């Protein structure tokens, strides 16, 4: 579950998706759901905050998507989940909220 601070940041990302990217409500809800599934994976019993996200390496992402595939989640759903998580981390980076040196995003 995300910390209070992270929930506020997610809300800002949601606003950006709505106002800047002009995403549909359905897309936004899907992205939020996908992101929360990922955050739950990172720490099912404790809050997840910016410090946790800063420490992630590429292995954490690969493990998450591998587990999702083993659970029988469709390839298209996994692709959307990956897009949501990648989009969120790219937005964090572009807005100087979080820079994780393990990931490189094209500007």
């Amino acid at each position: 579950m995300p910390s209070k601070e992270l929930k506020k940041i997610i809300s800002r990302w949601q606003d950006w998706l709505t106002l800047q990217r002009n995403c549909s409500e359905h897309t936004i809800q899907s992205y939020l759901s996908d992101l929360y599934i990922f955050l739950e994976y990172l720490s099912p019993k404790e809050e997840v905050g910016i410090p946790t996200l800063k420490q992630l390496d590429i292995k954490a992402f690969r493990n998450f998507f591998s587990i999702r595939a083993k659970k029988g989640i469709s390839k298209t759903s996994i692709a959307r989940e990956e897009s949501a998580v990648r989009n969120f981390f790219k937005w964090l980076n572009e807005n100087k909220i979080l820079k994780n040196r393990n990931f490189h995003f094209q500007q």
Side-chain angles (χ1 to χ4, degrees), residues 18-77:
T18 302
L19 301 172
Q20 300 298 317
R21 294 279 308 271
N22 200 27
C23 292
S24 72
E25 186 62 30
H26 181 266
T27 298
I28 292 169
Q29 291 309 313
S30 295
Y31 269 27
L32 290 172
S33 175
D34 296 338
L35 180 61
Y36 277 90
I37 289 167
F38 178 70
L39 296 175
E40 178 74 17
Y41 158 78
L42 293 177
S43 185
K45 297 183 182 191
E46 297 179 17
E47 284 189 343
V48 175
I50 293 297
T52 303
L53 300 182
K54 282 183 180 178
Q55 296 175 10
L56 291 178
D57 60 12
I58 197 69
K59 193 174 177 182
F61 290 91
R62 288 183 182 147
N63 287 341
F64 171 70
F65 295 115
S66 174
I67 289 168
R68 300 293 287 161
K70 287 177 184 173
K71 286 185 175 183
I73 306 299
S74 72
K75 288 181 181 182
T76 55
S77 292

